[in-house]
Structure formats: structure tokens, C-alpha cells
Amino acid sequence: GGGGTSRSATPAPGGVAEVPVPTLSSATSQVVLLTQPFTPRSIADRVDEVLFRDLGFVRVGKVLGQCASAARYVDPDGRLELRLASSGSSGGIGIGIGSGSSSGEGLVAADATSGSSSATDAVPADDETRCCLVIDSGFSLTHVVPTYQCRAVSRAIRRLNVGGRTITNLLKEWVSYRQWNMMDEYALVNEAKEALCYVLPSSGRYDAEMAEARKVKVGYREYDREFVLPDFADVFAGSVRL
């Protein structure tokens, strides 16, 4: 029309032209879903129901998040790609990472028409061992997932009921015993943990780090910091002070 204005030419409040946002239909879109080991079947079925029936996606590829991490380790140059690939006569859709010669829980697929899951064949990774051990530590638990050619070895997956919550609770006890009573301030202690704590590159460094820390006066070590507590009057969040 004569008086029409294109969205791409509309200036934003900062004076920069808006980038046109493509309109996509879920009926013609495919989605990759990262999953966790030992997901109950009832939850997996409910997720499929939401994706297929409620959102209307045609195809959904499921892959363990740990297998995607292993693919990044096995292929640091990004030569492999996460792609949807046909799995043959079964009609399923899978993720094209790793080799299809080994059995495992790593790369599975679901199709809206069949509702079934199946493993897929793909290009083998160019790596000397093609093995990777992924330790995925979350809020309340940790998954230890060994992979070969970006496929999880199902029988060797382990779940440990130790996560970030365990460390926060331990830190809460230490702080309450030595300084302030923080037993009821989980969120605040968790914020301090995320701002100040760090992970050593290897477990063998722990004793050396502790011995080195005892040689230097408190306040003069490179990692010494103070976490300033909020007063909940003017300041409602803690802060780190050098």
C-alpha cells in the first residue's frame, strides 16, 4: 500500500532500525530437546504430549544433555553438527552425532506420527579415544555419564544425591558456627557461594592449595574477598568487596 511501513525500517527508540523477526509455524518446525538420565516415563510422555499436541511440533529430537556436552569435547573444532536425521524405516527422527555402532542411551528420537523412540546412525567422531566422562552437577543431584562416540553408556550412568544444595548447606553451617547465624538464610548463603567459591582444576591440587593458603596472611591472598551482607533497609542484595 501507499502509506504502509515495513517493520524492518521502523526505527527503535535508540535510533537503530529493528531487525525483522521471522514468523515461524510450529507445524513446520522441528525442535531438539535436551533430556536428563533416568527421567520417569510419565514425565517423558507428558513432555511429548505438550510438544506434539499443545505446541503442535511435527518432529522432536531428544538427546541427553551430557551427550551434547561430550560432542563439544570430542569435536572442539565444531566439525560435527547437531542435526535432525532420518533413522530409516522406523520413521523416527534423531540427532546426528557420533557413531551408531554402539548401543547406549545417548541419542534418541520421537516422531509425532509413530510416538516411538529409536537410536540413529551418524558420522563417527574423529578422535583418538572418542570417550568422554561427563559430570553434570545440578542443584540437588549429580549425574556421572560415560560416553563413547557421543553416546551414553546406559549401564554405567550413575546418579549421586549430591549437588549445589549440599555445598550451600555445608557452607551455611560453617558460617553459622564461625561468624553469623545464617541457618535461615539459604538464598543469601547461596548467593555468596556463587560469587566467591571456585573449583580447582584437579583434585590433586587441593592439598597444595591449602598448604599455600596457610603460608600467606589472611587478606593478602589473591582470592581473599569479603561478602558484604545486605541491611534489608536500603540494600537487599549482598556484594563482593576486595
Side-chain angles (χ1 to χ4, degrees):
T5 303
S6 173
R7 288 189 60 188
S8 60
T10 303
V16 181
E18 291 183 355
V19 177
V21 179
T23 301
L24 300 177
S25 172
S26 60
T28 58
S29 301
Q30 303 173 1
V31 63
V32 175
L33 179 66
L34 298 181
T35 61
Q36 289 293 320
F38 309 124
T39 300
R41 184 56 184 267
S42 59
I43 296 179
D45 291 343
R46 177 55 183 159
V47 170
D48 291 341
E49 183 179 346
V50 170
L51 291 172
F52 289 132
R53 190 187 69 179
D54 298 343
L55 299 181
F57 287 107
V58 177
R59 294 174 177 175
V60 175
K62 293 184 178 180
V63 57
L64 287 178
Q66 294 81 4
C67 292
S69 298
R72 181 67 182 89
Y73 172 80
V74 171
D75 180 40
D77 298 328
R79 289 171 296 175
L80 297 178
E81 61 178 2
L82 196 67
R83 58 184 175 82
L84 292 177
S86 175
S87 60
S89 59
S90 64
I93 296 298
I95 308 301
I97 296 181
S99 173
S101 59
S102 60
S103 61
E105 191 178 314
L107 310 176
V108 299
D111 195 308
T113 57
S114 63
S116 60
S117 298
S118 60
T120 60
D121 297 334
V123 181
D126 183 14
D127 185 74
E128 293 182 0
T129 63
R130 291 171 288 179
C131 297
C132 184
L133 180 66
V134 180
I135 302 177
D136 182 10
S137 184
F139 174 71
S140 58
L141 55 91
T142 297
H143 283 120
V144 181
V145 182
T147 65
Y148 175 68
Q149 293 183 344
C150 304
R151 286 181 177 272
V153 183
S154 303
R155 291 174 293 180
I157 297 177
R158 295 294 181 267
R159 166 177 167 161
L160 306 176
N161 293 323
V162 175
R165 179 174 58 183
T166 305
I167 300 176
T168 302
N169 288 334
L170 183 60
L171 183 61
K172 193 169 56 173
E173 294 179 4
W174 287 351
V175 173
S176 299
Y177 177 76
R178 297 178 180 180
Q179 296 180 354
W180 300 96
N181 184 6
M182 304 293 290
M183 294 304 294
D184 296 330
E185 300 292 344
Y186 179 89
L188 194 58
V189 175
N190 190 69
E191 181 183 353
K193 180 197 71 175
E194 294 178 351
L196 297 175
C197 295
Y198 64 96
V199 179
L200 292 175
S202 64
S203 59
R205 289 280 305 277
Y206 178 77
D207 293 335
E209 287 278 340
M210 294 300 294
E212 187 67 25
R214 295 187 182 99
K215 296 178 182 178
V216 183
K217 186 178 179 180
V218 176
Y220 291 89
R221 296 170 294 199
E222 61 179 355
Y223 48 78
D224 282 342
R225 301 290 188 274
E226 290 184 350
F227 187 79
V228 182
L229 298 176
D231 56 14
F232 294 106
D234 300 320
V235 180
F236 295 91
S239 60
V240 178
R241 182 169 62 192
L242 299 180

